[in-house]
Amino acid sequence: MRELLRTNDAVLLSFVEALLREACYAFHIADMHISLAEGSIGAFPRRVLIDDDVFDAARDLLVAAGLAAELPDGGSEGASATAALPPRRA
């Protein structure tokens, strides 16, 4: 699994989860339970991890959804903001 996104923003995380679920991509949210130790200060970002075989397609999905600026490289790694959404997986 590779890290797709790292964020402290619960709303952004929820949106990304919804996008990935809708596209039927296997992913994992790491560090979800660290909030119990930190309280509500938001010091530890949550990481969205995605399978290697769908990483590029998931990345393109986030870019197409307007989230390029939230990606670690700002969405500049080979994807365009006008990329078509990938087809849904069965």
Side-chain angles (χ1 to χ4, degrees), residues 1 13 16 18-19 21 29 43 49 52 60 64 69 78 86:
M1 294 194 108
L13 186 62
V16 169
L19 288 172
R21 277 197 182 104
I29 307 297
L49 305 176
D52 291 334
D60 289 345

Side-chain angles (χ1 to χ4, degrees), residues 17-67:
E17 284 184 82
L19 288 172
L20 295 175
R21 277 197 182 104
E22 180 68 25
C24 298
Y25 293 145
F27 67 96
H28 174 72
I29 307 297
D31 309 316
M32 196 67 146
H33 299 292
I34 194 71
S35 62
L36 296 176
E38 73 165 341
S40 61
I41 61 174
F44 298 100
R46 281 47 166 181
R47 295 174 293 141
V48 179
L49 305 176
I50 189 125
D51 286 336
D52 291 334
D53 59 333
V54 295
F55 180 84
D56 292 331
R59 192 178 175 293
D60 289 345
L61 175 67
L62 296 189
V63 169
L67 300 176

